[in-house]
Protein backbone atom coordinates (compact mmCIF):
# COMPACT_ATOMS: atom_id res chain seq x y z
CA UNK A 1 0.00 0.00 0.00
CA UNK A 2 1.34 3.45 -0.86
CA UNK A 3 1.07 6.14 1.81
CA UNK A 4 1.36 8.93 -0.77
CA UNK A 5 -1.48 11.41 -0.46
CA UNK A 6 -3.14 9.54 2.43
CA UNK A 7 -4.65 11.10 5.54
CA UNK A 8 -3.17 9.54 8.68
CA UNK A 9 -6.05 9.61 11.16
CA UNK A 10 -5.66 6.21 12.82
CA UNK A 11 -2.92 3.64 13.18
CA UNK A 12 -5.31 1.19 11.49
CA UNK A 13 -3.62 2.39 8.32
CA UNK A 14 -0.36 0.57 9.03
CA UNK A 15 0.26 -3.13 8.60
CA UNK A 16 3.52 -4.85 9.48
CA UNK A 17 4.99 -4.26 5.99
CA UNK A 18 4.37 -0.50 6.16
CA UNK A 19 5.82 -0.39 9.66
CA UNK A 20 8.97 -2.16 8.58
CA UNK A 21 9.35 0.08 5.51
CA UNK A 22 9.05 3.10 7.81
CA UNK A 23 11.67 1.66 10.23
CA UNK A 24 14.14 1.31 7.33
CA UNK A 25 13.47 4.85 6.19
CA UNK A 26 13.68 6.22 9.74
CA UNK A 27 17.05 4.47 10.16
CA UNK A 28 18.27 6.16 6.97
CA UNK A 29 17.03 9.53 8.24
CA UNK A 30 18.49 9.23 11.74
CA UNK A 31 21.77 11.01 10.85
CA UNK A 32 19.63 13.90 9.51
CA UNK A 33 17.65 14.02 12.76
CA UNK A 34 20.95 14.19 14.66
CA UNK A 35 22.34 17.06 12.58
CA UNK A 36 25.01 14.88 10.94
CA UNK A 37 23.57 14.84 7.45
CA UNK A 38 21.37 17.14 5.40
CA UNK A 39 18.57 16.44 2.94
CA UNK A 40 16.35 18.85 1.02
CA UNK A 41 13.76 16.44 -0.42
CA UNK A 42 10.89 18.67 0.75
CA UNK A 43 12.42 21.96 -0.36
CA UNK A 44 9.55 24.37 -1.10
CA UNK A 45 6.91 22.28 0.71
CA UNK A 46 4.93 23.82 3.57
CA UNK A 47 3.46 22.07 6.60
CA UNK A 48 0.72 23.70 8.72
CA UNK A 49 0.64 22.62 12.36
CA UNK A 50 -2.67 23.38 14.05
CA UNK A 51 -2.77 22.51 17.73
CA UNK A 52 -6.08 23.19 19.48
CA UNK A 53 -4.77 21.45 22.63
CA UNK A 54 -1.52 21.56 24.63
CA UNK A 55 1.54 19.93 23.07
CA UNK A 56 5.32 20.00 23.49
CA UNK A 57 6.75 16.93 21.77
CA UNK A 58 4.27 16.32 18.97
CA UNK A 59 4.18 19.86 17.63
CA UNK A 60 7.88 20.63 18.00
CA UNK A 61 9.05 17.27 16.69
CA UNK A 62 6.69 17.36 13.70
CA UNK A 63 7.92 20.87 12.90
CA UNK A 64 11.57 19.88 13.39
CA UNK A 65 11.08 16.79 11.19
CA UNK A 66 9.52 18.82 8.38
CA UNK A 67 12.23 21.50 8.60
CA UNK A 68 15.00 18.88 8.55
CA UNK A 69 13.49 17.50 5.33
CA UNK A 70 13.97 20.96 3.82
CA UNK A 71 10.34 22.12 4.09
CA UNK A 72 8.87 25.17 5.80
CA UNK A 73 6.35 25.36 8.64
CA UNK A 74 3.42 27.63 9.51
CA UNK A 75 1.77 27.05 12.83
CA UNK A 76 -1.07 28.07 15.07
CA UNK A 77 -1.81 26.98 18.62
CA UNK A 78 -4.98 27.34 20.71
CA UNK A 79 -8.58 27.90 19.61
CA UNK A 80 -8.80 31.41 21.01
CA UNK A 81 -6.40 32.89 18.45
CA UNK A 82 -8.08 31.32 15.43
CA UNK A 83 -11.25 32.28 13.58
CA UNK A 84 -12.95 29.24 15.12
CA UNK A 85 -13.36 31.59 18.12
CA UNK A 86 -15.49 33.77 15.77
CA UNK A 87 -17.77 30.84 14.91
CA UNK A 88 -15.92 29.46 11.85
CA UNK A 89 -16.55 25.73 11.24
CA UNK A 90 -13.73 23.20 11.27
CA UNK A 91 -14.57 22.40 7.65
CA UNK A 92 -14.10 26.02 6.55
CA UNK A 93 -10.85 26.35 8.53
CA UNK A 94 -9.60 23.15 6.96
CA UNK A 95 -10.44 24.26 3.41
CA UNK A 96 -8.73 27.61 3.99
CA UNK A 97 -5.54 26.22 5.58
CA UNK A 98 -5.28 23.57 2.84
CA UNK A 99 -4.78 26.41 0.37
CA UNK A 100 -1.72 27.55 2.33
CA UNK A 101 0.20 24.29 2.68
CA UNK A 102 0.98 20.76 1.44
CA UNK A 103 0.34 18.83 4.67
CA UNK A 104 -1.52 19.54 7.91
CA UNK A 105 -0.76 18.16 11.37
CA UNK A 106 -3.67 18.71 13.70
CA UNK A 107 -4.51 18.11 17.37
CA UNK A 108 -7.95 18.70 18.84
CA UNK A 109 -9.71 17.77 22.12
CA UNK A 110 -12.75 16.38 20.24
CA UNK A 111 -12.38 12.88 18.81
CA UNK A 112 -14.41 13.70 15.69
CA UNK A 113 -12.64 16.96 14.81
CA UNK A 114 -9.71 15.50 12.90
CA UNK A 115 -12.10 13.44 10.73
CA UNK A 116 -14.20 16.55 9.98
CA UNK A 117 -11.05 18.42 9.13
CA UNK A 118 -9.79 15.70 6.79
CA UNK A 119 -13.17 15.36 5.05
CA UNK A 120 -12.94 18.99 3.89
CA UNK A 121 -9.59 18.70 2.10
CA UNK A 122 -7.41 16.62 -0.20
CA UNK A 123 -4.22 17.87 1.47
CA UNK A 124 -2.99 15.04 3.75
CA UNK A 125 -4.09 15.53 7.36
CA UNK A 126 -2.05 13.85 10.10
CA UNK A 127 -3.76 13.23 13.43
CA UNK A 128 -1.55 14.70 16.16
CA UNK A 129 -3.96 13.49 18.88
CA UNK A 130 -7.80 13.59 18.85
CA UNK A 131 -9.22 13.72 22.37
CA UNK A 132 -9.10 10.31 24.04
CA UNK A 133 -9.14 8.70 20.58
CA UNK A 134 -5.79 8.07 18.92
CA UNK A 135 -2.27 9.36 18.47
CA UNK A 136 -0.92 7.46 15.47
CA UNK A 137 2.43 9.26 15.07
CA UNK A 138 3.26 8.58 18.74
CA UNK A 139 2.51 4.90 18.18
CA UNK A 140 4.76 4.86 15.10
CA UNK A 141 7.68 6.29 17.06
CA UNK A 142 6.93 3.89 19.92
CA UNK A 143 7.13 0.97 17.50
CA UNK A 144 10.39 2.29 16.04
CA UNK A 145 11.79 2.62 19.58
CA UNK A 146 10.75 -0.95 20.40
CA UNK A 147 12.26 -2.23 17.19
CA UNK A 148 15.56 -0.56 18.13
CA UNK A 149 15.57 -1.49 21.81
CA UNK A 150 14.77 -5.15 21.16
CA UNK A 151 17.21 -5.38 18.21
CA UNK A 152 19.98 -4.13 20.49
CA UNK A 153 19.50 -7.16 22.73
CA UNK A 154 18.93 -9.61 19.85
CA UNK A 155 15.17 -9.84 20.35
CA UNK A 156 12.25 -9.20 18.01
CA UNK A 157 8.81 -7.99 18.99
CA UNK A 158 7.19 -11.34 18.19
CA UNK A 159 6.55 -13.47 21.26
CA UNK A 160 7.12 -10.67 23.82
CA UNK A 161 5.22 -9.91 27.00
CA UNK A 162 3.95 -6.34 27.02
CA UNK A 163 2.55 -4.51 30.05
CA UNK A 164 0.55 -1.33 29.38
CA UNK A 165 0.03 0.55 32.64
CA UNK A 166 -2.00 3.53 33.84
CA UNK A 167 -4.96 5.36 32.36
CA UNK A 168 -5.65 3.02 29.46
CA UNK A 169 -9.21 4.28 29.00
CA UNK A 170 -8.36 7.90 28.16
CA UNK A 171 -4.74 7.49 27.02
CA UNK A 172 -4.87 7.85 23.23
CA UNK A 173 -1.27 6.72 22.76
CA UNK A 174 -2.00 3.21 24.05
CA UNK A 175 -5.08 2.97 21.81
CA UNK A 176 -2.95 3.57 18.72
CA UNK A 177 -0.17 1.36 20.08
CA UNK A 178 -2.56 -1.60 20.60
CA UNK A 179 -3.43 -1.44 16.89
CA UNK A 180 0.24 -1.56 15.90
CA UNK A 181 1.82 -4.06 18.33
CA UNK A 182 -0.92 -6.54 17.51
CA UNK A 183 0.30 -6.58 13.89
CA UNK A 184 3.15 -8.73 15.31
CA UNK A 185 2.76 -12.31 16.50
CA UNK A 186 2.26 -14.35 19.62
CA UNK A 187 2.24 -11.55 22.20
CA UNK A 188 1.06 -11.59 25.78
CA UNK A 189 -0.50 -8.20 26.45
CA UNK A 190 -1.20 -7.30 30.08
CA UNK A 191 -3.39 -4.21 30.55
CA UNK A 192 -2.76 -2.90 34.06
CA UNK A 193 -5.25 -0.27 35.27
CA UNK A 194 -7.94 0.29 37.88
CA UNK A 195 -11.20 -1.05 36.41
CA UNK A 196 -12.74 2.37 35.52
CA UNK A 197 -9.56 3.29 33.65
CA UNK A 198 -9.22 0.00 31.79
CA UNK A 199 -8.44 -0.50 28.11
CA UNK A 200 -11.56 -0.15 25.89
CA UNK A 201 -13.12 -3.58 25.27
CA UNK A 202 -12.97 -3.17 21.48
CA UNK A 203 -9.17 -2.98 21.64
CA UNK A 204 -8.91 -6.02 23.94
CA UNK A 205 -11.06 -7.91 21.43
CA UNK A 206 -8.96 -6.71 18.51
CA UNK A 207 -5.84 -8.12 20.19
CA UNK A 208 -7.56 -11.45 20.84
CA UNK A 209 -8.87 -11.64 17.29
CA UNK A 210 -5.30 -11.26 16.06
CA UNK A 211 -4.27 -14.30 18.10
CA UNK A 212 -2.64 -12.71 21.17
CA UNK A 213 -3.06 -13.62 24.83
CA UNK A 214 -4.70 -10.71 26.65
CA UNK A 215 -4.75 -10.28 30.42
CA UNK A 216 -6.31 -7.57 32.52
CA UNK A 217 -4.88 -6.69 35.92
CA UNK A 218 -5.43 -4.00 38.55
CA UNK A 219 -2.07 -4.70 40.24
CA UNK A 220 1.18 -3.27 38.84
CA UNK A 221 3.10 -5.48 41.30
CA UNK A 222 1.96 -8.62 39.45
CA UNK A 223 1.12 -7.09 36.05
CA UNK A 224 4.65 -5.84 35.36
CA UNK A 225 6.32 -9.10 36.31
CA UNK A 226 8.38 -10.69 33.52
CA UNK A 227 7.32 -8.04 30.99
CA UNK A 228 9.74 -7.34 28.13
CA UNK A 229 8.11 -3.93 27.72
CA UNK A 230 6.60 -1.77 30.46
CA UNK A 231 4.70 1.09 28.82
CA UNK A 232 3.59 3.54 31.52
CA UNK A 233 1.08 6.34 30.91
CA UNK A 234 -0.04 9.49 32.68
CA UNK A 235 -3.41 9.84 34.35
CA UNK A 236 -5.30 11.94 31.75
CA UNK A 237 -6.77 14.37 34.29
CA UNK A 238 -7.84 16.79 31.54
CA UNK A 239 -10.43 14.19 30.41
CA UNK A 240 -11.97 13.65 33.87
CA UNK A 241 -13.53 16.98 34.83
CA UNK A 242 -13.82 16.85 38.66
CA UNK A 243 -14.56 13.19 39.22
CA UNK A 244 -12.65 11.43 42.04
CA UNK A 245 -9.72 9.47 40.64
CA UNK A 246 -9.57 5.74 41.34
CA UNK A 247 -5.82 5.65 41.41
CA UNK A 248 -3.40 4.65 44.14
CA UNK A 249 0.34 4.92 44.70
CA UNK A 250 0.62 1.29 43.57
CA UNK A 251 0.69 2.90 40.10
CA UNK A 252 3.89 4.82 40.82
CA UNK A 253 6.50 3.09 38.64
CA UNK A 254 9.66 3.75 40.61
CA UNK A 255 13.03 2.22 41.37
CA UNK A 256 11.69 0.09 44.24
CA UNK A 257 8.91 -1.47 42.13
CA UNK A 258 11.11 -1.94 39.06
CA UNK A 259 13.87 -3.64 41.05
CA UNK A 260 11.33 -5.95 42.71
CA UNK A 261 9.42 -7.07 39.63
CA UNK A 262 11.00 -6.08 36.30
CA UNK A 263 13.31 -8.14 34.11
CA UNK A 264 16.96 -7.11 33.80
CA UNK A 265 16.43 -6.58 30.06
CA UNK A 266 13.00 -4.92 30.27
CA UNK A 267 12.39 -1.80 28.19
CA UNK A 268 10.55 0.95 30.07
CA UNK A 269 8.73 3.53 27.97
CA UNK A 270 6.24 6.39 28.45
CA UNK A 271 4.81 8.75 25.82
CA UNK A 272 5.50 11.72 28.14
CA UNK A 273 4.81 14.11 29.69
CA UNK A 274 5.19 12.25 32.98
CA UNK A 275 3.86 13.97 36.06
CA UNK A 276 7.02 14.47 38.12
CA UNK A 277 5.38 16.23 41.09
CA UNK A 278 6.06 14.60 44.45
CA UNK A 279 2.52 13.25 45.07
CA UNK A 280 1.92 11.97 41.53
CA UNK A 281 1.53 8.28 40.69
CA UNK A 282 3.43 8.17 37.44
CA UNK A 283 6.83 7.07 36.13
CA UNK A 284 9.30 8.25 38.76
CA UNK A 285 12.41 10.33 38.09
CA UNK A 286 14.33 8.00 40.45
CA UNK A 287 14.65 5.68 37.42
CA UNK A 288 16.47 8.26 35.29
CA UNK A 289 19.84 6.54 35.54
CA UNK A 290 18.41 3.08 34.90
CA UNK A 291 19.48 2.01 31.37
CA UNK A 292 16.14 0.23 30.99
CA UNK A 293 14.42 3.60 30.92
CA UNK A 294 14.12 4.37 27.19
CA UNK A 295 11.98 7.54 27.39
CA UNK A 296 14.52 9.95 25.91
CA UNK A 297 15.63 7.48 23.24
CA UNK A 298 11.90 7.29 22.54
CA UNK A 299 11.52 11.08 22.13
CA UNK A 300 14.66 11.19 19.97
CA UNK A 301 13.13 8.49 17.75
CA UNK A 302 10.17 10.81 17.08
CA UNK A 303 12.08 12.96 14.62
CA UNK A 304 13.33 10.30 12.17
CA UNK A 305 10.03 8.42 12.35
CA UNK A 306 7.97 11.53 11.65
CA UNK A 307 10.39 12.45 8.84
CA UNK A 308 9.86 8.98 7.37
CA UNK A 309 6.09 9.43 7.58
CA UNK A 310 6.05 12.91 5.99
CA UNK A 311 8.41 11.82 3.21
CA UNK A 312 6.17 8.82 2.50
CA UNK A 313 2.91 10.77 2.57
CA UNK A 314 4.38 13.41 0.25
CA UNK A 315 5.80 10.80 -2.12
CA UNK A 316 9.55 11.52 -1.84
CA UNK A 317 10.69 8.51 0.24
CA UNK A 318 12.53 6.92 -2.71
CA UNK A 319 14.66 10.02 -3.31
CA UNK A 320 16.09 10.29 0.21
CA UNK A 321 19.07 7.93 -0.04
CA UNK A 322 20.58 9.88 -2.99
CA UNK A 323 19.84 13.25 -1.44
CA UNK A 324 21.95 12.93 1.73
CA UNK A 325 25.04 15.06 2.21
CA UNK A 326 27.20 15.81 5.28
CA UNK A 327 26.16 18.59 7.66
CA UNK A 328 28.69 21.32 8.43
CA UNK A 329 27.72 22.57 11.89
CA UNK A 330 28.77 21.46 15.40
CA UNK A 331 26.68 18.87 17.23
CA UNK A 332 27.60 17.07 20.47
CA UNK A 333 27.86 13.27 20.21
CA UNK A 334 24.90 12.83 22.52
CA UNK A 335 22.49 15.24 24.11
CA UNK A 336 21.63 13.99 27.63
CA UNK A 337 23.83 13.08 30.62
CA UNK A 338 22.75 9.40 30.59
CA UNK A 339 22.78 8.84 26.82
CA UNK A 340 26.44 7.96 26.24
CA UNK A 341 26.16 4.12 26.24
CA UNK A 342 23.44 4.26 23.61
CA UNK A 343 25.19 6.70 21.28
CA UNK A 344 28.65 5.14 21.31
CA UNK A 345 28.66 4.72 17.53
CA UNK A 346 27.40 8.16 16.75
CA UNK A 347 30.32 8.80 14.41
CA UNK A 348 29.65 5.70 12.36
CA UNK A 349 25.98 4.79 12.31
CA UNK A 350 24.71 8.01 13.87
CA UNK A 351 22.22 6.37 16.20
N1 LIG B 1 1.67 13.37 24.92
C1 LIG B 1 0.71 12.29 24.87
C2 LIG B 1 -0.59 12.74 24.26
O1 LIG B 1 -0.69 13.85 23.77
C3 LIG B 1 0.55 11.59 26.18
C4 LIG B 1 -0.06 12.41 27.30
O2 LIG B 1 -0.39 13.58 27.14
O3 LIG B 1 -0.19 11.83 28.39
O4 LIG B 1 -1.52 11.97 24.25
Amino acid sequence: MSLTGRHVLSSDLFGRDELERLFTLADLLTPVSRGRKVTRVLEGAVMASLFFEASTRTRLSCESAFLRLGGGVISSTGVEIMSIAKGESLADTSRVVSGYCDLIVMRHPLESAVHEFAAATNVPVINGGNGAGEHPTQALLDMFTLHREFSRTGRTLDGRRIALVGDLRHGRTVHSLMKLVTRYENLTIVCVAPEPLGMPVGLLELAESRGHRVQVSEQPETGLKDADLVYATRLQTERFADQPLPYSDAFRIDKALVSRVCREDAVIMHPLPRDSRAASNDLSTDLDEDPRLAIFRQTDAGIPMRMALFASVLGVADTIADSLRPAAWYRPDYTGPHDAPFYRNVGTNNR
Side-chain angles (χ1 to χ4, degrees):
M1 183 200 71
S2 167
L3 288 174
T4 305
R6 303 290 298 256
H7 294 308
V8 179
L9 307 184
S10 162
S11 45
D12 284 332
L13 190 62
F14 306 98
R16 185 167 177 159
D17 287 352
E18 282 79 42
L19 285 174
E20 287 173 0
R21 262 196 295 278
L22 287 169
F23 296 162
T24 305
L25 198 54
D27 269 330
L28 185 65
L29 285 162
T30 294
V32 182
S33 75
R34 300 223 178 289
R36 301 275 162 182
K37 288 188 182 165
V38 175
T39 180
R40 283 286 168 265
V41 288
L42 287 187
E43 187 165 18
V46 174
M47 173 183 108
S49 69
L50 302 181
F51 279 69
F52 299 98
E53 196 182 68
S55 172
T56 304
R57 277 150 290 274
T58 306
R59 185 166 72 85
L60 293 180
S61 73
C62 283
E63 294 183 357
S64 175
F66 210 84
L67 291 165
R68 290 224 192 257
L69 288 167
V73 172
I74 51 175
S75 95
S76 185
T77 54
V79 182
E80 64 287 352
I81 57 161
M82 294 192 66
S83 294
I84 283 175
K86 301 179 190 166
E88 186 172 63
S89 69
L90 280 170
D92 279 6
T93 307
S94 170
R95 173 59 192 84
V96 170
V97 175
S98 308
Y100 302 159
C101 67
D102 303 289
L103 177 140
I104 297 171
V105 180
M106 189 218 191
R107 169 172 290 186
H108 199 284
L110 289 179
E111 279 185 42
S112 58
V114 72
H115 298 274
E116 256 180 75
F117 217 77
T121 177
N122 292 322
V123 170
V125 173
I126 313 285
N127 179 1
N130 60 323
E134 281 212 47
H135 196 341
T137 69
Q138 175 73 45
L140 288 174
L141 77 89
D142 290 342
M143 292 300 291
F144 183 45
T145 307
L146 276 178
H147 159 75
R148 283 189 162 175
E149 295 291 318
F150 287 150
S151 314
R152 186 182 295 122
T153 50
R155 291 175 287 178
T156 65
L157 186 52
D158 295 312
R160 300 289 132 228
R161 185 180 180 90
I162 289 176
L164 306 173
V165 194
D167 184 353
L168 307 182
R169 173 132 328 218
H170 306 98
R172 57 195 171 198
T173 68
V174 281
H175 301 165
S176 288
L177 188 58
M178 277 291 268
K179 294 181 174 182
L180 294 190
V181 284
T182 54
R183 296 291 191 186
Y184 284 72
E185 279 170 30
N186 191 27
L187 304 176
T188 302
I189 302 175
V190 192
C191 293
V192 190
E195 198 273 327
L197 300 179
M199 182 66 81
V201 174
L203 288 167
L204 299 175
E205 288 172 354
L206 175 79
E208 274 165 352
S209 71
R210 291 182 178 168
H212 305 289
R213 286 170 300 282
V214 177
Q215 297 169 12
V216 170
S217 163
E218 296 198 42
Q219 302 298 332
E221 190 80 31
T222 48
L224 269 55
K225 208 164 169 342
D226 296 330
D228 298 283
L229 166 68
V230 173
Y231 190 100
T233 62
R234 178 180 65 88
L235 195 57
Q236 308 284 297
T237 40
E238 66 274 38
R239 316 249 178 253
F240 272 99
D242 293 325
Q243 295 164 36
L245 304 175
Y247 215 60
S248 75
D249 59 10
F251 282 83
R252 184 174 309 126
I253 315 290
D254 59 8
K255 205 172 183 171
L257 177 66
V258 166
S259 48
R260 270 200 312 280
V261 303
C262 286
R263 291 169 60 109
E264 282 302 313
D265 59 359
V267 176
I268 303 174
M269 290 168 51
H270 189 300
L272 300 181
R274 56 179 163 169
D275 185 344
S276 299
R277 290 170 289 195
S280 74
N281 295 322
D282 203 329
L283 184 64
S284 169
T285 52
D286 74 0
L287 284 166
D288 283 5
E289 286 175 45
D290 190 318
R292 290 172 286 189
L293 190 76
I295 55 175
F296 298 115
R297 301 193 288 284
Q298 192 182 350
T299 51
D300 285 351
I303 304 280
M305 193 34 133
R306 286 175 167 132
M307 290 172 88
L309 180 67
F310 297 151
S312 302
V313 168
L314 292 180
V316 295
D318 292 344
T319 66
I320 286 170
D322 289 338
S323 75
L324 299 173
R325 55 193 165 81
W329 61 88
Y330 165 79
R331 275 279 293 193
D333 284 348
Y334 51 92
T335 47
H338 311 304
D339 294 342
F342 301 96
Y343 292 84
R344 230 174 248 133
N345 298 324
V346 73
T348 50
N349 70 8
N350 291 299
R351 288 196 159 193

